[in-house]
Amino acid sequence: MKELKRLVPYLRPRVPLLVASTFLLIVSGLLEALIISLLAPIFDQLAPSAAAAGGKFDFLRVWLGLEGDSYLGKVALFLVIFSLVKGVCLFVADYSLNYAGERLVATLREDLYGHILDQSLAFFSRFSTGKLMTRIITDTERLHEAVGKRLTDFIRQIFLLIFFLGLVFYADWKLALLSFAIAPVVLLITFRLGRKIRRDSLLSQENLYDLSHVLQQTVSGQKIVQAFNAQTWEKDRLRRLLERLVRSNLKVARMQALGSPLIEFIGYAAFVPFLLYFNYKLGQGFALSSFVVFVAALFRLYEPVRKLSRMHLFFQQTFASAQRVFELLDTRIEVKEVPGAPDLPPFREEIRFHRVWFAYPENPQLPVLRDIDLRIRKGEMLALVGMSGAGKSTLVSLIPRFYDPTSGSVTIDGWDLREVTLSSLRSQVALVTQETFLFDDTVRNNIAYSRFDARQEEVEEAARAAFIHDFIMSLPDGYDTVVGERGHRLSGGERQRIAIARAILKKAPILLLDEATSSLDSESELLVRSALENLMQRCTSVVIAHRLSTVRRADRIVVLHQGRIVEVGSHEMLMARSGIYRRLNELQFADVESMQPVEDYGE
Ligand code: ADP
């Protein structure tokens, strides 16, 4: 019920359509009952002796003016008219409800997708890609089917049930009561089965999630899978998951398959007392026409009962889907704009961390940043140095507000980041990550991802500044070359320079750079470094520095250790102290010694 309520706001704009469609379905149901009732005058005409016993459908003769020679012709004409009108009603109602369903699900999908895109990074570490994909595609598809296709049938069958029931009772209520003595049994069975199916199909869904998760992982990590000869292991794992899925699916299928035959059997079994009663009535003489209508309506009742009982099962699964969809929609957006937030004015002076503490939601006990006080002045290049896990990436990710500090604040020119619009903040920040992420699209679109309206000349200018233009021109389709999933058709250095071009094109005043640790060959290293220099010249930059050359060029070096700022200063200053920086340096020293003259590194 709760899920149904959640759908209400989505249904609200479609209420007139729903009401009109329901009305049309009622009309079509009535017409269907009327069509069956038309059997009565036909039989009265065919067997006048039985008609003399007084049928319950005599009124039809009067209503429809069925008199005279063309009696049967008139009945036939009414049959045709009724079924035509019924058909039109059904068509209009069916289409309208499908329309409402399509719109509803489109809106729901849009909301869901938008909701996900707005989530903070913490959300994505909680929900795997596979899980998200199933929810967005499979679960909404089920809702789509439920609302778009099954709803028409549901409403239609309900009214058919009501009208045929009415007809059956009207024709012979004693006979009707006798026939329906079995109804409670049927209801009990459907209810029991339904509950079981709901539980088992939840399990099936979970298994499907696991499968798509593993699949997604192995496909994206196939290089590692092959390199480590883990195919057999992966296959085994997949087989086990598949086996689990098959078993839970079969369980659901078993229950579903059991439903119809069981109910059908009970239906036929109920014929025994029915025929006994009929036999008894025959001896008394009664109106054949009423009996014919009774039997016809009883048979027609079978379809709504069967369909509705199945639908019950289908809707059970739909509720499970709705539950998952709404669970996702209900996840709080942790990084949220305050209503009516102003835009952040263009960056003028400084970025400031004021007594910032931060812990990841998964691990609230463990602060990753502790009491960070830091000023980054405009035009400055700040290098962040520290051991892996010291909190450098976390500190940087607070600037575009991927997360909010647990306590304390981050401000730009005095504006608390939580009080300005996210778009105005992020438009001023360019991010170049260690792992460059390219979309499976053309080179041009990948560069222009930072500014969709950029002209070709601007894109090329950015590419030149990133030293990638000549390379792009040498590609078969130039800027229109598609880079492949995650840019796998390009080398690491090329990908990085495209990412740098993207950042250059953005012309954002603040640059956040996570320097790549992966070693590039010296030529691309040189190109990447020059490209970065071009980029940094224009910006205030915060660089997570891994290369000594970068660190030395920085205006200031901030050393993080276990979430705290432990040292701040220039390279020379920090080397003069025998602190962490010096130790880190000496460790790196060992690496570079063989490549460059020692004097280059000062003392
Ligand atoms: P650095 O960039 O200096 O290597 P990070 O900022 O990436 O350090 O990580 C600091 C600490 O925070 C590490 O102990 C890491 O395990 C933890 N951490 C990083 N990202 C997350 C996350 N999304 N959820 C929970 N903990 C995280």
Side-chain angles (χ1 to χ4, degrees), residues 121-122 125 360-363 366 368-369 386-395 397 403 514 544 546 560:
L121 295 184
S125 51
Y360 281 99
E362 292 91 334
N363 210 347
L366 187 84
V368 172
L369 294 179
M387 285 193 278
S388 168
K392 305 179 294 288
S393 315
T394 309
L395 190 150
S397 65
Y403 300 99
D514 195 348
I544 298 178
H546 301 292
L560 273 181

Side-chain angles (χ1 to χ4, degrees), residues 84-354:
L84 182 70
V85 177
K86 183 198 90 172
V88 172
C89 288
L90 266 184
F91 166 75
V92 176
D94 196 353
Y95 181 74
S96 312
L97 280 176
N98 266 293
Y99 176 86
E102 289 289 345
R103 290 278 157 236
L104 179 148
V105 174
T107 319
L108 192 65
R109 282 184 169 150
E110 198 179 322
D111 282 2
L112 201 57
Y113 193 38
H115 186 74
I116 287 167
L117 286 184
D118 283 341
Q119 290 292 341
S120 77
L121 295 184
F123 172 86
F124 291 97
S125 51
R126 195 161 75 238
F127 287 100
S128 65
T129 314
K131 218 170 194 172
L132 286 178
M133 295 292 270
T134 351
R135 288 199 187 192
I136 300 182
I137 310 286
T138 322
D139 285 334
T140 55
E141 186 49 40
R142 200 188 286 279
L143 285 180
H144 176 218
E145 199 189 333
V147 184
K149 300 193 173 64
R150 303 285 179 118
L151 191 62
T152 321
D153 216 25
F154 179 66
I155 300 176
R156 173 156 185 249
Q157 300 301 341
I158 290 226
F159 285 109
L160 283 184
L161 186 74
I162 293 172
F163 292 135
F164 287 149
L165 265 181
L167 202 57
V168 165
F169 272 92
Y170 179 73
D172 193 329
W173 66 269
K174 280 191 209 146
L175 212 49
L177 280 182
L178 196 67
S179 323
F180 293 127
I182 51 149
V185 184
V186 174
L187 286 181
L188 190 74
I189 291 175
T190 17
F191 181 71
R192 280 277 171 91
L193 276 181
R195 217 173 37 184
K196 209 161 159 37
I197 287 178
R198 183 175 159 121
R199 229 178 298 145
D200 290 343
S201 62
L202 260 174
L203 193 70
S204 254
Q205 285 287 329
E206 295 292 330
N207 287 340
L208 196 63
Y209 284 155
D210 290 348
L211 191 69
S212 59
H213 180 61
V214 168
L215 211 60
Q216 192 260 337
Q217 288 273 307
T218 35
V219 169
S220 53
Q222 49 87 17
K223 210 183 205 171
I224 304 297
V225 174
Q226 294 192 359
F228 287 90
N229 257 334
Q231 290 101 315
T232 320
W233 190 82
E234 287 291 356
K235 273 182 207 156
D236 277 351
R237 177 156 77 147
L238 213 65
R239 191 174 308 122
R240 275 198 304 276
L241 284 177
L242 274 173
E243 193 50 40
R244 243 176 41 205
L245 181 66
V246 166
R247 253 184 277 140
S248 59
N249 275 348
L250 281 180
K251 222 164 147 188
V252 175
R254 207 156 50 224
M255 292 299 138
Q256 274 174 337
L258 195 61
S260 275
L262 204 62
I263 291 167
E264 241 167 87
F265 169 74
I266 296 172
Y268 282 119
F271 252 97
V272 178
F274 176 83
L275 282 179
L276 289 179
Y277 174 80
F278 180 56
N279 196 22
Y280 154 80
K281 285 276 279 199
L282 263 188
Q284 302 189 325
F286 72 120
L288 180 64
S289 60
S290 299
F291 183 69
V292 170
V293 173
F294 177 88
V295 173
L298 193 67
F299 270 105
R300 286 292 275 109
L301 252 179
Y302 176 67
E303 187 191 322
V305 170
R306 184 180 59 94
K307 283 204 169 161
L308 285 173
S309 68
R310 284 215 155 184
M311 221 166 289
H312 169 70
L313 308 181
F314 177 80
F315 279 120
Q316 296 271 6
Q317 293 174 336
T318 307
F319 286 147
S321 285
Q323 227 167 2
R324 281 190 297 269
V325 166
F326 286 118
E327 186 203 315
L328 207 57
L329 268 178
D330 286 343
T331 47
R332 215 159 50 86
I333 298 184
E334 277 144 33
V335 171
K336 216 181 191 165
E337 262 177 29
V338 285
D343 282 346
L344 176 69
F347 180 43
R348 277 180 304 113
E349 265 170 46
E350 62 168 18
I351 306 167
R352 174 142 197 227
F353 284 71
H354 187 77

